[in-house]
Amino acid sequence: QVHLVESGGGVVQPGRSLRLSCAASGFTFSTYGMHWVRQAPGKGLEGVAVISDDGSNKYYADAVKGRFTISRDNSKNTLYLQLNSLRPEDTAVYYCAKDHSSSCGSWGQGTLVTVSS
Amino acid sequence: DIQMTQSPSSLSASVGDRVTITCRASQSISTYLNWYQQRPGKAPKLLIYTASSLQTGVPSRFSGSGSGTEFTLTISRLQPADFATYYCQQSYGTPPWTFGQGTLVENK
């Protein structure tokens, strides 16, 4: 059974950094692409970043390009999202998801990032 | 960027009703269209991928259709657990892929 657990969220001041983690279990992590998707309070879903199974290909939404970095450690079955130069508009619940035929097939429970002074 | 527009934004329905939600893409996306359900306070859940493929474990009352720019999600007989928000997502071209704005299905 696929299990994804995000961590690392919290309250952070504008301009500061944060690193989110997503611990994966129940599947062969190294053979799947992975996604980060966020949801601002009361708003819809927004794809943030995607990484290929071996980490060689990474893709970002325009809103976070140059500020966020997606990475993975297949030896630890863990996905990461480094968030730099945070802005109030980055406030959201951040979900990691396992790819399934070019969709987000399984999701974690999410971790809340609040950017506020 | 490909824009996804869902209609309606919200609807009221009763248990047992047939419900249809439409999703339109700003350009042709073949059948690269996914549907998700999100209950309040919960993570989204994949229902349908590649326009019409039912995700494992999803009840057969859910179905998807369409290709090109117009797609539909149909719930054949609405159940109490189905009151939720539904999102479409295009997965055509370079990720991350865009979502529709969501459709809230409320209890009439």
Side-chain angles (χ1 to χ4, degrees):
Chain A
Q1 181 181 355
V2 174
H3 197 46
L4 299 168
V5 179
E6 301 93 337
S7 61
V11 180
V12 61
Q13 293 179 327
R16 303 298 290 266
S17 299
L18 211 57
R19 188 176 84 156
L20 307 183
S21 299
C22 170
S25 60
F27 66 103
T28 306
F29 181 71
S30 62
T31 64
Y32 287 91
M34 295 293 295
H35 302 250
W36 285 101
V37 178
R38 68 183 180 183
Q39 186 170 36
K43 302 298 184 181
L45 301 170
E46 179 185 19
V48 173
V50 178
I51 188 168
S52 59
D53 54 0
D54 63 357
S56 61
N57 294 300
K58 305 176 184 180
Y59 308 92
Y60 299 93
D62 288 344
V64 308
K65 204 171 293 182
R67 299 188 300 122
F68 291 7
T69 302
I70 189 171
S71 62
R72 64 191 297 160
D73 186 335
N74 285 347
S75 68
K76 296 182 178 179
N77 289 346
T78 302
L79 175 72
Y80 302 100
L81 187 66
Q82 178 70 39
L83 291 67
N84 295 335
S85 303
L86 280 161
R87 304 167 179 170
E89 56 264 35
D90 296 320
T91 294
V93 174
Y94 285 74
Y95 297 100
C96 66
K98 168 183 169 286
D99 191 82
H100 174 74
S101 299
S102 296
S103 72
C104 297
S106 302
W107 298 63
Q109 85 290 348
T111 187
L112 176 62
V113 172
T114 302
V115 184
S116 173
S117 54
Chain B
D1 290 0
I2 301 173
Q3 308 301 317
M4 306 302 294
T5 304
Q6 290 182 230
S7 60
S9 294
S10 65
L11 64 89
S12 295
S14 301
V15 171
D17 284 352
R18 182 182 182 89
V19 170
T20 299
I21 299 168
T22 297
C23 180
R24 289 186 174 87
S26 59
Q27 67 181 71
S28 177
I29 57 171
S30 184
T31 57
Y32 292 95
L33 192 284
N34 309 309
W35 289 100
Y36 301 86
Q37 176 194 67
Q38 187 177 34
R39 298 187 177 106
K42 301 295 186 181
K45 171 187 173 183
L46 177 66
L47 299 176
I48 303 284
Y49 60 98
T50 56
S52 60
S53 297
L54 192 68
Q55 172 68 332
T56 303
V58 174
S60 58
R61 63 181 180 273
F62 291 93
S63 64
S65 64
S67 66
T69 61
E70 188 155 335
F71 303 86
T72 59
L73 173 71
T74 299
I75 309 172
S76 60
R77 289 178 302 277
L78 198 67
Q79 297 300 300
D82 302 338
F83 294 107
T85 300
Y86 294 83
Y87 294 93
C88 63
Q89 178 203 34
Q90 62 84 14
S91 56
Y92 182 87
T94 304
W97 300 302
T98 47
F99 292 84
Q101 82 279 13
T103 296
L104 175 64
V105 177
E106 297 180 300
N107 197 351
K108 185 184 289 183

